[in-house]
Amino acid sequence: MSAIAYLECTKCGAHISADQPQTICPSDGGILYARYDLKTLKRYFNRAALATRPATMWRYAEVLPDAPPVSLGEGFTPLLPSREFPNAFIKDEGLNPTGSFKARGMSAAVTMAKAYGLKKLAAPSAGNAGSALAAYAAAAGLEAYIFMPRDVPLANRVECESYGAHLTLVDGLISDCARMVAERKEKEGWFDVSTLKEPFRVEGKKTMGYEVAEQLGWKLPQGIIYPTGGGVGLLGMWKAFEEMETLGWIGAERPKMVVVQSAGCAPIVKAWDEGKPTAEFWPDAATLAAGLRVPKAYGDYLILQILKDSAGIAVVATDAEIMDAFRHWAQLEGIFAAPEGAASLVAYRKLRANGFFSAEDKVVLFNTGSGLKYLDVIESRKQSPKPPASRQIGGIIGPY
Ligand SMILES: Cc1ncc(COP(=O)(O)O)c(C=O)c1O
Ligand SMILES: [Zn+2]
């Protein structure tokens, strides 16, 4: 593994040492990115070296923090060719430990927290990040203090309790949970591992970008659809593409990055539609896709910049569309997706219908979690089972 050369502020470009635990840029609150000496790494870290590596995200160790990994086997999830759309692929993050892609970020963040000698970690969570933090803290022998909205899916609550985390259920949204962590962390001696308030969750999530490239034979797709709350995976994948280009593993080509949010909480879509560089707080956020109920993303300025730089787009999915897509994937693909993941199919359908993507474009749809974490949510939306439309016409998978 390589040592981190420095942490770099994404706002002012300041270089900050990674020798001690860091949070955000002290002068402007900018998100810090870990930087490595990629020019030197390029001489000996090549794609062929990966062939014999374990099938976890730590196969990319040289571009991850230099510390003994706290690992539960996260990453290197399948990239499944869609059975419905010839050039669509589903990156199934539901197979990660704790059933979501949040495992990647927490594996990296807890690895570094342990290496720094931190003992108590705290985070607000829309659900799955809390489960992942609880699991990795348990594996590392650290304490986890987790604040979640009271109405998170049942699995998230049961997981946190089972892993032995200190769980506080809050009558409010993730933004209220974040405020509680911020108010108490100093007095309680907690290190805050909130989304993008420390530099390493994004390092874990960036491995999704490395994997998409590796699994597609080092040719990036034309599009990537990502269900966006705080946007860490989107930022991470974009960072991975830049790193891979510096390493000489890919060229200058980039996928169009697509943000999908729930119609009941779509601050990034609104800002994108209005051409704004940052997003406003979304009032009265409500959606069954708990992970998308993030009224204000700390990394909004980076998400919106990536949409611009990649010629991407931001789209909404209603809860009804999400549930329809959930059933469709289950019945046509055999994939039991998280509602957030099913939103990717809603976005893909819309972007095929309006010509943003053609049938020839390779597009990766992220299923960010397993539907098994949402049984109570799914049960509450149950409809009488009916075959999907394409099966009703004699099994011909038609265009829509
Ligand atoms: C299943 C799932 N998908 C997507 C998201 C949104 O992730 P991010 O905050 O990285 O945008 C979450 C966040 O909790 C989630 O749990
Ligand atoms: Zn700064």
Side-chain angles (χ1 to χ4, degrees), residues 101-102 126 128 205 226-233 291-292 338 340 368-369 374:
F101 72 146
K102 297 280 174 183
N128 286 319
K205 291 243 190 120
Y226 178 76
T228 304
V232 187
L292 304 185
E340 295 85 345
T368 41
Y374 297 80

Side-chain angles (χ1 to χ4, degrees), residues 6-288:
Y6 53 87
L7 303 171
E8 185 178 31
C9 175
T10 52
K11 279 190 179 160
C12 69
H15 289 193
I16 294 171
S17 165
D19 290 349
Q20 305 86 38
Q22 302 288 354
T23 53
I24 48 178
C25 174
S27 34
D28 55 15
I31 292 161
L32 301 181
Y33 273 0
R35 298 294 184 199
Y36 309 84
D37 182 0
L38 296 174
K39 299 251 159 59
T40 305
L41 268 181
K42 187 178 177 177
R43 283 192 239 129
Y44 64 92
F45 185 38
N46 51 46
R47 302 181 319 196
L50 301 172
T52 53
R53 301 261 177 110
T56 77
M57 72 174 203
W58 294 96
R59 66 199 275 103
Y60 309 107
E62 284 84 345
V63 287
L64 289 170
D66 181 19
V70 178
S71 176
L72 295 167
E74 53 293 322
F76 221 63
T77 53
L79 184 68
L80 303 166
S82 163
R83 287 167 165 81
E84 183 178 19
F85 301 105
N87 285 309
F89 295 82
I90 302 163
K91 182 73 171 151
D92 196 357
E93 291 290 302
L95 281 89
N96 275 303
T98 71
S100 89
F101 72 146
K102 297 280 174 183
R104 296 174 187 266
M106 287 304 181
S107 176
V110 173
T111 290
M112 285 308 282
K114 191 168 171 72
Y116 285 130
L118 299 166
K119 301 279 183 251
K120 297 179 178 186
L121 309 179
S125 169
N128 286 319
S131 306
L133 172 58
Y136 285 91
L142 306 181
E143 281 184 54
Y145 293 81
I146 296 163
F147 292 74
M148 284 178 176
R150 190 173 297 284
D151 57 355
V152 287
L154 177 65
N156 297 127
R157 184 158 62 72
V158 175
E159 283 176 284
C160 287
E161 288 166 357
S162 306
Y163 289 125
H166 305 271
L167 176 64
T168 306
L169 296 172
V170 176
D171 292 309
L173 298 178
I174 188 171
S175 40
D176 302 298
C177 300
R179 195 163 9 87
M180 294 174 85
V181 172
E183 280 165 10
R184 291 180 55 187
K185 63 184 174 189
E186 209 163 320
K187 187 164 149 272
E188 305 278 358
W190 298 337
F191 184 73
D192 186 354
V193 289
S194 298
T195 300
L196 300 171
K197 300 273 178 73
E198 60 75 54
F200 299 110
R201 283 173 68 182
V202 73
E203 288 301 288
K205 291 243 190 120
K206 85 178 177 192
T207 57
M208 297 189 294
Y210 280 88
E211 287 176 25
V212 165
E214 185 175 355
Q215 291 171 320
L216 288 177
W218 304 107
K219 259 190 88 54
L220 295 183
Q222 276 73 47
I224 291 184
I225 304 182
Y226 178 76
T228 304
V232 187
L234 188 95
L235 269 47
M237 284 191 273
W238 198 252
K239 183 174 188 283
F241 301 150
E242 286 172 1
E243 289 176 0
M244 282 189 280
E245 189 180 350
T246 311
L247 288 168
W249 292 10
I250 59 167
E253 74 284 358
R254 294 288 185 272
K256 291 179 173 158
M257 302 301 280
V258 177
V259 157
V260 58
Q261 296 199 299
S262 176
C265 182
I268 300 293
V269 183
K270 181 168 182 285
W272 174 252
D273 287 345
E274 293 170 354
K276 298 207 171 124
T278 57
E280 287 159 28
F281 186 91
W282 186 275
D284 304 322
T287 169
L288 63 83

Side-chain angles (χ1 to χ4, degrees), residues 260-334:
V260 58
Q261 296 199 299
S262 176
C265 182
I268 300 293
V269 183
K270 181 168 182 285
W272 174 252
D273 287 345
E274 293 170 354
K276 298 207 171 124
T278 57
E280 287 159 28
F281 186 91
W282 186 275
D284 304 322
T287 169
L288 63 83
L292 304 185
R293 206 167 47 151
V294 180
K296 170 81 179 155
Y298 197 67
D300 55 356
Y301 64 103
L302 293 172
I303 300 170
L304 289 157
Q305 189 61 45
I306 290 167
L307 290 184
K308 215 165 158 182
D309 292 348
S310 73
I313 197 166
V315 292
V316 289
T318 65
D319 281 0
E321 288 170 331
I322 288 173
M323 283 318 292
D324 173 69
F326 161 80
R327 280 181 219 101
H328 193 84
W329 256 357
Q331 294 174 21
L332 263 78
E333 307 275 6

